[in-house]
Amino acid sequence: MIRVMLVDDQELVRAGFKMVLDAQPDVEVVGEAGDGAQALELLRVTRTDVVLMDVRMPRMDGIEATRRIAARDGAEGPRVIILTTFDLDEYAFAAIKAGAGGFLLKDAGPAQLIEAIKAVHSGDAVVAPSTTKRLLDRFALHLPDQARQATGVLESLTDRESEVLHLVARGMSNAEIAERLYVSEATVKTHMGRILMKLGLRDRVQAVVFAYESGMVKSGQSDH
């Protein structure tokens, strides 16, 4: 059973999501909050796997709440899916930087919503790598220059792991990487797991951000 918390200041929006999720045999809504501060309080006492988090809310917005969840609970904490009204806006970028597992448009259909929750729960990113790449290309100018700090960490990767990270950051899926490197998809997933562990990252989205911040991939580079 996947335990989900809904965080949105509009009760009607929460009711709509709850209706969709309650119809699923393997998803349970365990809590609802009207803002980020209330969500943090609830999370202290409610076991939650995935948080659907709105961005613009009173008292504490979704970005700050996501940042605090990531800081407090790290990789052991609930996964956060940011709900955004506009595709590729600055909020989505800030959410990924804050530690969200991805973002979803508010007008996504029920099937997309369920798929996103299950993907994030299993450790995958909700944002397609190509979407993440477009997002980072757009906001790369705002990325801090962390190339120096990252160099030592990058050296811990094997040549093949560096190659996989580079291709992930350039927007390729596991299947495309497997085809490019003449290996199985399972092998790509194994490499990805080791990359995340060595770099101390939560998920694939964070790996793409790291690749940009470290200078491994430059804005505007494309592999498609």
Side-chain angles (χ1 to χ4, degrees):
M1 188 66 80
I2 303 173
R3 297 176 294 265
V4 178
M5 182 175 292
L6 306 175
V7 187
D8 196 298
D9 60 332
Q10 294 183 308
E11 200 171 336
L12 261 178
V13 172
R14 296 202 308 269
F17 282 133
K18 190 174 192 309
M19 192 169 66
V20 170
L21 298 178
D22 280 346
Q24 301 300 310
D26 51 355
V27 178
E28 178 188 8
V29 175
V30 294
E32 294 183 44
D35 60 57
Q38 190 183 359
L40 286 171
E41 289 166 20
L42 257 180
L43 284 169
R44 286 193 178 92
V45 295
T46 311
R47 280 189 65 204
T48 307
D49 300 311
V50 177
V51 180
L52 286 182
M53 181 85 74
D54 186 26
V55 174
R56 305 178 210 192
M57 295 180 291
R59 286 214 299 166
M60 185 189 293
D61 66 27
I63 306 300
E64 180 58 26
T66 298
R67 191 176 291 114
R68 293 194 189 192
I69 290 168
R72 187 173 75 187
D73 302 322
E76 301 303 312
R79 314 289 296 168
V80 177
I81 299 175
I82 288 285
L83 298 168
T84 177
T85 313
F86 306 104
D87 191 14
L88 301 186
D89 65 10
E90 67 273 22
Y91 294 111
F93 175 73
I96 287 172
K97 290 285 292 170
F103 66 95
L104 195 65
L105 290 179
K106 271 195 174 181
D107 60 1
Q112 267 184 296
L113 177 65
I114 301 302
E115 190 183 338
I117 288 170
K118 291 182 177 178
V120 156
H121 183 248
S122 69
D124 289 334
V126 173
V127 195
S130 55
T131 308
T132 310
K133 187 195 169 306
R134 288 205 313 276
L135 190 69
L136 288 168
D137 274 349
R138 182 169 166 183
F139 294 105
L141 294 175
H142 305 297
L143 286 171
D145 181 17
Q146 295 184 351
R148 286 180 191 168
Q149 298 100 296
T151 306
V153 187
L154 280 172
E155 284 170 358
S156 70
L157 301 180
T158 64
D159 289 346
R160 180 44 63 92
E161 286 164 358
S162 293
E163 197 173 7
V164 169
L165 176 58
H166 193 257
L167 294 175
V168 164
R170 288 171 72 173
M172 295 180 76
S173 66
N174 283 351
E176 289 170 326
I177 294 169
E179 192 177 339
R180 166 70 69 89
L181 301 180
Y182 303 104
V183 297
S184 70
E185 242 183 288
T187 300
V188 176
K189 285 181 181 174
T190 301
H191 284 311
M192 200 63 224
R194 288 179 183 149
I195 290 164
L196 296 179
M197 186 179 67
K198 286 182 178 181
L199 301 182
L201 304 171
R202 287 163 65 91
D203 55 34
R204 190 187 189 95
V205 180
Q206 299 271 291
V208 176
V209 173
F210 181 90
Y212 272 77
E213 287 186 332
S214 67
M216 175 184 264
V217 175
K218 304 293 184 190
S219 177
Q221 274 188 348
S222 174
D223 208 69
H224 289 290

